[in-house]
Amino acid sequence: NAGVMQNPRHLVRRRGQEARLRCSPMKGHSHVYWYRQLPEEGLKFMVYLQKENIIDESGMPKERFSAEFPKEGPSILRIQQVVRGDSAAYFCASSPPSQRSYEQYFGPGTRLTVT
Amino acid sequence: GESVGLHLPTLSVQEGDNSIINCAYSNSASDYFIWYKQESGKGPQFIIDIRSNMDKRQGQRVTVLLNKTVKHLSLQIAATQPGDSAVYFCAEKREEQTGANNLFFGTGTRLTVIP
């Protein structure tokens, strides 16, 4: 039973390029969350998605960031025109539906470096 | 050894001693709390959780205590081992938004076990 999968594990982008981060939830999980972590800090919530729906994007920057969780395929966090301040570790978590939806299991993260 | 979370982000203990990691949360509406362990270069790993209608929960070598009066959470690790060295985060789920399950993370405490 594979856990949450994220790829790539490491991503290097130059300023102005686009970054695409992928997350495949655990089998049977229909809720996906994205978090950002700066070095030596806790995780900051970005967005919460269910299949084809954004439930809560209160932690997403208003510009350049978007997320989707299509009916088929992984969830994608997209960062357009990256800047140095976007360098961070981005973690995806998934949770089962309904009553246990608060139990979140994290992937290994994608470490984005903007040069 | 004992930490006060935000004020003492590093805790060093001798192997075999008990560790106590503290966390203060801010929102009295939070109804669910989780402790995560994060090793270097990895995603957070679920350790133990507790709902707000409980004040204590025990797992294997770990105990979580919840004091809602002072909004304080602690993680106790018995007979600390070198493999316990990591950063420990408390996270809270807030109930004020319908359908929202996003977690709010504390700053974290780095536990170092001295052999």
Coordinates of all heavy atoms in Angstrom, one line a residue, chain B residues 37-95:
Chain B
K37 N 6.4 13.9 13.6 CA 7.8 13.8 13.7 C 8.4 14.1 12.3 O 7.9 13.4 11.3 CB 8.2 12.5 14.2 CG 9.7 12.2 14.2 CD 10.0 10.7 14.6 CE 11.4 10.3 14.5 NZ 11.7 8.9 14.9
Q38 N 9.3 14.9 12.2 CA 9.9 15.2 10.8 C 11.4 15.0 10.9 O 12.1 15.8 11.6 CB 9.6 16.6 10.3 CG 10.0 16.8 8.9 CD 9.6 18.1 8.3 OE1 9.4 19.1 9.0 NE2 9.5 18.2 7.0
E39 N 11.9 14.0 10.2 CA 13.4 13.8 10.1 C 13.9 14.6 8.9 O 13.1 14.9 8.0 CB 13.6 12.3 9.9 CG 13.2 11.4 11.1 CD 13.3 10.0 10.9 OE1 12.4 9.4 10.3 OE2 14.3 9.4 11.4
S40 N 15.2 14.8 9.0 CA 15.8 15.7 8.0 C 15.5 15.1 6.6 O 15.8 14.0 6.3 CB 17.3 15.7 8.2 OG 17.9 16.6 7.3
G41 N 15.0 16.0 5.7 CA 14.8 15.7 4.3 C 13.6 14.8 4.0 O 13.4 14.4 2.9
K42 N 12.7 14.7 5.1 CA 11.5 13.8 4.9 C 10.3 14.6 5.2 O 10.3 15.7 5.8 CB 11.6 12.6 5.8 CG 12.8 11.7 5.5 CD 12.7 10.4 6.3 CE 13.8 9.5 6.0 NZ 13.8 8.3 6.8
G43 N 9.1 14.0 4.9 CA 7.9 14.6 5.2 C 7.5 14.3 6.7 O 8.0 13.4 7.3
P44 N 6.5 15.1 7.2 CA 6.1 14.8 8.6 C 5.5 13.4 8.7 O 4.7 13.0 7.8 CB 5.0 15.9 8.8 CG 5.4 17.0 7.9 CD 5.9 16.3 6.7
Q45 N 5.7 12.8 9.8 CA 5.2 11.4 10.0 C 4.3 11.5 11.3 O 4.7 12.0 12.3 CB 6.4 10.5 10.3 CG 6.0 9.1 10.7 CD 7.2 8.3 11.1 OE1 8.4 8.7 11.1 NE2 7.0 7.1 11.5
F46 N 3.1 11.0 11.1 CA 2.1 11.0 12.2 C 2.6 10.2 13.4 O 3.2 9.1 13.2 CB 0.8 10.3 11.6 CG -0.2 10.1 12.7 CD1 -1.2 11.1 12.8 CD2 -0.3 9.0 13.4 CE1 -2.2 10.9 13.8 CE2 -1.3 8.8 14.4 CZ -2.3 9.8 14.5
I47 N 2.5 10.8 14.6 CA 2.9 10.0 15.8 C 1.7 9.6 16.6 O 1.5 8.5 16.9 CB 3.8 10.9 16.7 CG1 5.1 11.3 15.9 CG2 4.2 10.1 17.9 CD1 5.9 12.3 16.7
I48 N 0.9 10.6 17.0 CA -0.2 10.4 17.8 C -1.2 11.6 17.7 O -0.7 12.7 17.4 CB 0.2 10.2 19.3 CG1 -0.9 9.6 20.1 CG2 0.8 11.4 19.9 CD1 -0.5 9.1 21.5
D49 N -2.5 11.3 17.9 CA -3.4 12.4 17.9 C -4.3 12.4 19.1 O -4.3 11.4 19.9 CB -4.3 12.3 16.6 CG -5.1 11.0 16.5 OD1 -4.9 10.1 17.4 OD2 -5.8 10.8 15.5
I50 N -5.1 13.5 19.3 CA -6.0 13.5 20.4 C -7.1 14.5 20.1 O -6.9 15.5 19.5 CB -5.3 14.0 21.7 CG1 -6.2 13.8 22.9 CG2 -4.7 15.4 21.6 CD1 -5.4 14.0 24.3
R51 N -8.3 14.1 20.4 CA -9.5 15.0 20.2 C -9.7 15.9 21.5 O -9.2 15.5 22.6 CB -10.7 14.2 19.9 CG -10.6 13.3 18.7 CD -12.0 12.8 18.2 NE -12.8 13.9 17.7 CZ -12.8 14.3 16.4 NH1 -12.0 13.7 15.6 NH2 -13.5 15.3 16.0
S52 N -10.4 16.9 21.3 CA -10.5 17.9 22.4 C -11.4 17.4 23.5 O -11.4 18.0 24.6 CB -11.1 19.2 21.8 OG -12.3 19.0 21.2
N53 N -12.1 16.3 23.3 CA -12.9 15.8 24.4 C -12.1 14.8 25.3 O -12.6 14.2 26.2 CB -14.2 15.1 23.9 CG -13.8 13.9 23.0 OD1 -12.7 13.7 22.7 ND2 -14.9 13.2 22.6
M54 N -10.8 14.8 25.1 CA -9.9 13.9 25.9 C -8.8 14.8 26.5 O -8.5 15.9 26.0 CB -9.3 12.8 25.0 CG -10.2 12.0 24.2 SD -9.4 10.9 23.0 CE -8.5 9.8 24.1
D55 N -8.2 14.3 27.6 CA -7.1 15.1 28.1 C -5.8 14.3 28.1 O -4.7 14.8 28.4 CB -7.4 15.6 29.5 CG -7.8 14.5 30.4 OD1 -7.5 13.3 30.2 OD2 -8.4 14.8 31.5
K56 N -5.9 13.0 27.7 CA -4.7 12.2 27.7 C -4.9 11.0 26.7 O -6.0 10.5 26.6 CB -4.4 11.6 29.1 CG -3.1 10.7 29.2 CD -2.9 10.3 30.6 CE -1.7 9.4 30.7 NZ -1.5 8.9 32.1
R57 N -3.8 10.7 26.0 CA -3.9 9.5 25.1 C -2.5 8.9 25.0 O -1.5 9.6 24.9 CB -4.3 9.9 23.7 CG -4.6 8.8 22.8 CD -5.6 9.1 21.7 NE -6.0 7.9 21.0 CZ -5.9 7.7 19.7 NH1 -5.4 8.7 18.9 NH2 -6.2 6.5 19.2
Q58 N -2.4 7.6 25.1 CA -1.1 6.9 25.1 C -1.0 6.1 23.9 O -1.9 5.4 23.4 CB -1.0 6.0 26.4 CG -0.8 6.9 27.6 CD -0.6 6.0 28.8 OE1 -1.5 5.3 29.3 NE2 0.6 6.0 29.4
G59 N 0.3 6.0 23.4 CA 0.6 5.1 22.3 C 1.8 4.3 22.8 O 2.1 4.2 24.0
Q60 N 2.5 3.8 21.8 CA 3.7 3.0 22.1 C 4.9 4.0 22.5 O 5.4 4.7 21.6 CB 4.1 2.2 21.0 CG 5.2 1.1 21.3 CD 5.4 0.2 20.1 OE1 5.1 0.5 19.0 NE2 6.1 -0.9 20.4
R61 N 5.3 4.1 23.7 CA 6.3 4.9 24.2 C 6.0 6.4 24.2 O 6.8 7.3 24.6 CB 7.7 4.8 23.5 CG 8.5 3.6 23.9 CD 10.0 3.7 23.5 NE 10.2 4.0 22.1 CZ 10.8 5.2 21.7 NH1 11.2 6.0 22.6 NH2 11.0 5.4 20.5
V62 N 4.8 6.8 23.6 CA 4.5 8.2 23.6 C 3.1 8.4 24.3 O 2.3 7.6 24.3 CB 4.4 8.7 22.1 CG1 5.8 8.7 21.5 CG2 3.4 7.9 21.3
T63 N 3.0 9.6 24.9 CA 1.8 10.0 25.6 C 1.6 11.5 25.2 O 2.5 12.3 25.2 CB 1.9 9.9 27.1 OG1 2.2 8.6 27.4 CG2 0.6 10.4 27.8
V64 N 0.3 11.8 24.8 CA 0.0 13.2 24.6 C -1.0 13.7 25.7 O -1.9 13.0 26.0 CB -0.6 13.4 23.2 CG1 -1.8 12.5 22.9 CG2 -1.0 14.8 22.9
L65 N -0.7 14.8 26.2 CA -1.5 15.5 27.2 C -2.1 16.8 26.7 O -1.4 17.5 26.0 CB -0.7 15.7 28.5 CG -0.1 14.5 29.2 CD1 0.8 15.0 30.4 CD2 -1.1 13.5 29.7
L66 N -3.4 17.0 26.9 CA -4.1 18.2 26.4 C -4.7 18.9 27.6 O -5.4 18.3 28.4 CB -5.1 17.8 25.4 CG -6.0 18.9 24.9 CD1 -5.2 20.0 24.2 CD2 -7.1 18.3 24.0
N67 N -4.3 20.2 27.8 CA -4.9 21.0 28.8 C -5.6 22.2 28.1 O -5.0 23.1 27.7 CB -3.8 21.5 29.7 CG -4.4 22.3 30.9 OD1 -5.4 23.0 30.8 ND2 -3.7 22.3 32.0
K68 N -6.9 22.0 28.0 CA -7.7 23.0 27.2 C -7.8 24.3 28.0 O -8.0 25.4 27.4 CB -9.1 22.5 26.9 CG -9.0 21.3 25.9 CD -10.4 20.8 25.6 CE -11.0 20.0 26.8 NZ -10.3 18.7 27.0
T69 N -7.7 24.3 29.3 CA -7.8 25.5 30.1 C -6.8 26.5 29.8 O -7.0 27.7 29.6 CB -7.8 25.1 31.6 OG1 -8.8 24.2 31.9 CG2 -8.0 26.4 32.5
V70 N -5.5 26.0 29.6 CA -4.4 26.9 29.3 C -4.0 26.7 27.8 O -3.0 27.3 27.4 CB -3.3 26.7 30.2 CG1 -3.6 27.1 31.6 CG2 -2.8 25.2 30.2
K71 N -4.7 26.0 27.0 CA -4.4 25.7 25.6 C -3.0 25.3 25.4 O -2.2 25.9 24.8 CB -4.7 27.0 24.8 CG -6.2 27.3 24.7 CD -6.5 28.5 23.8 CE -6.2 29.8 24.5 NZ -6.8 31.0 23.7
H72 N -2.7 24.1 26.1 CA -1.4 23.6 26.1 C -1.4 22.1 25.8 O -2.3 21.4 26.2 CB -0.7 23.8 27.5 CG 0.7 23.4 27.6 ND1 1.0 22.1 28.0 CD2 1.8 24.0 27.3 CE1 2.3 21.9 28.0 NE2 2.8 23.1 27.6
L73 N -0.5 21.7 25.0 CA -0.3 20.3 24.5 C 1.1 19.8 24.8 O 2.0 20.6 24.6 CB -0.6 20.3 23.0 CG -0.9 19.0 22.3 CD1 -2.3 18.5 22.7 CD2 -1.0 19.3 20.8
S74 N 1.2 18.6 25.2 CA 2.6 18.1 25.4 C 2.7 16.7 24.8 O 1.7 16.0 24.8 CB 3.0 18.1 26.9 OG 2.3 17.2 27.6
L75 N 3.9 16.4 24.4 CA 4.3 15.0 23.9 C 5.3 14.5 24.8 O 6.4 15.1 25.0 CB 4.8 15.1 22.5 CG 5.2 13.8 21.9 CD1 4.0 12.9 21.7 CD2 6.0 14.0 20.6
Q76 N 5.1 13.4 25.4 CA 6.1 12.7 26.3 C 6.6 11.5 25.6 O 5.8 10.7 25.1 CB 5.4 12.4 27.6 CG 4.9 13.6 28.4 CD 4.3 13.2 29.7 OE1 4.2 12.1 30.1 NE2 3.8 14.2 30.4
I77 N 7.9 11.3 25.5 CA 8.5 10.2 24.9 C 9.3 9.4 26.0 O 10.2 10.0 26.6 CB 9.5 10.6 23.7 CG1 8.7 11.4 22.7 CG2 10.0 9.3 23.1 CD1 9.7 12.0 21.6
A78 N 8.9 8.2 26.2 CA 9.6 7.4 27.2 C 10.8 6.7 26.7 O 10.9 6.3 25.5 CB 8.6 6.4 27.8
A79 N 11.9 6.7 27.5 CA 13.1 5.9 27.1 C 13.6 6.4 25.7 O 13.6 5.6 24.8 CB 12.9 4.4 27.2
T80 N 13.9 7.6 25.6 CA 14.2 8.2 24.3 C 15.4 7.5 23.7 O 16.4 7.2 24.4 CB 14.6 9.7 24.5 OG1 13.6 10.3 25.3 CG2 14.6 10.4 23.2
Q81 N 15.3 7.3 22.4 CA 16.3 6.5 21.6 C 16.9 7.4 20.6 O 16.3 8.4 20.2 CB 15.7 5.3 21.0 CG 15.0 4.4 21.9 CD 14.1 3.3 21.2 OE1 14.0 3.3 20.0 NE2 13.5 2.5 22.0
P82 N 18.1 7.1 20.1 CA 18.7 7.9 19.0 C 17.8 8.1 17.8 O 17.8 9.2 17.2 CB 20.0 7.1 18.7 CG 20.4 6.4 19.9 CD 19.0 6.1 20.6
G83 N 17.0 7.1 17.5 CA 16.1 7.2 16.4 C 15.0 8.2 16.6 O 14.3 8.5 15.6
D84 N 14.8 8.7 17.8 CA 13.8 9.7 18.1 C 14.3 11.1 17.7 O 13.5 12.1 17.7 CB 13.4 9.7 19.6 CG 12.8 8.4 20.0 OD1 12.0 7.8 19.1 OD2 13.0 8.0 21.1
S85 N 15.6 11.3 17.4 CA 16.1 12.6 17.0 C 15.4 13.1 15.8 O 15.4 12.4 14.7 CB 17.6 12.5 16.8 OG 18.3 12.2 18.0
A86 N 14.8 14.3 15.9 CA 14.0 14.8 14.8 C 13.4 16.1 15.2 O 13.6 16.6 16.4 CB 12.9 13.9 14.4
V87 N 12.7 16.8 14.3 CA 11.9 18.0 14.7 C 10.5 17.5 14.9 O 9.9 16.8 14.1 CB 12.0 19.0 13.6 CG1 11.1 20.2 14.0 CG2 13.4 19.5 13.4
Y88 N 9.9 17.9 16.0 CA 8.5 17.5 16.4 C 7.6 18.7 16.3 O 7.9 19.8 16.8 CB 8.5 17.0 17.8 CG 9.2 15.6 17.9 CD1 10.6 15.5 18.0 CD2 8.4 14.4 17.8 CE1 11.2 14.3 18.0 CE2 9.0 13.2 17.9 CZ 10.4 13.1 17.9 OH 11.0 11.9 18.0
F89 N 6.5 18.6 15.6 CA 5.5 19.6 15.4 C 4.2 19.2 16.0 O 3.8 18.1 15.8 CB 5.3 19.9 13.9 CG 6.4 20.5 13.2 CD1 7.3 19.6 12.4 CD2 6.7 21.8 13.2 CE1 8.3 20.2 11.7 CE2 7.8 22.3 12.5 CZ 8.6 21.5 11.7
C90 N 3.6 20.2 16.7 CA 2.2 19.9 17.0 C 1.3 20.7 15.9 O 1.8 21.6 15.3 CB 1.8 20.5 18.4 SG 1.9 22.3 18.6
A91 N 0.2 20.1 15.7 CA -0.7 20.7 14.7 C -2.1 20.7 15.2 O -2.5 19.7 15.9 CB -0.6 19.9 13.3
E92 N -2.9 21.7 14.9 CA -4.3 21.8 15.4 C -5.2 21.9 14.2 O -4.9 22.5 13.2 CB -4.5 22.9 16.3 CG -4.1 24.3 15.7 CD -4.2 25.4 16.7 OE1 -5.3 25.7 17.2 OE2 -3.2 26.1 17.0
K93 N -6.4 21.3 14.3 CA -7.4 21.5 13.3 C -8.5 22.4 13.9 O -9.0 22.1 15.1 CB -8.1 20.2 12.9 CG -9.1 20.3 11.8 CD -9.8 19.0 11.4 CE -10.8 18.6 12.4 NZ -12.0 19.4 12.3
R94 N -8.8 23.4 13.2 CA -9.8 24.4 13.8 C -11.2 24.1 13.2 O -11.3 23.8 12.0 CB -9.3 25.8 13.4 CG -8.0 26.1 14.1 CD -7.5 27.5 13.7 NE -6.2 27.7 14.3 CZ -5.4 28.7 14.1 NH1 -5.8 29.6 13.2 NH2 -4.2 28.8 14.7
E95 N -12.2 24.3 14.0 CA -13.5 23.9 13.6 C -14.3 25.1 13.1 O -15.4 24.9 12.7 CB -14.2 23.3 14.9 CG -15.5 22.7 14.7 CD -15.5 21.5 13.7 OE1 -14.7 20.6 13.8 OE2 -16.2 21.6 12.7

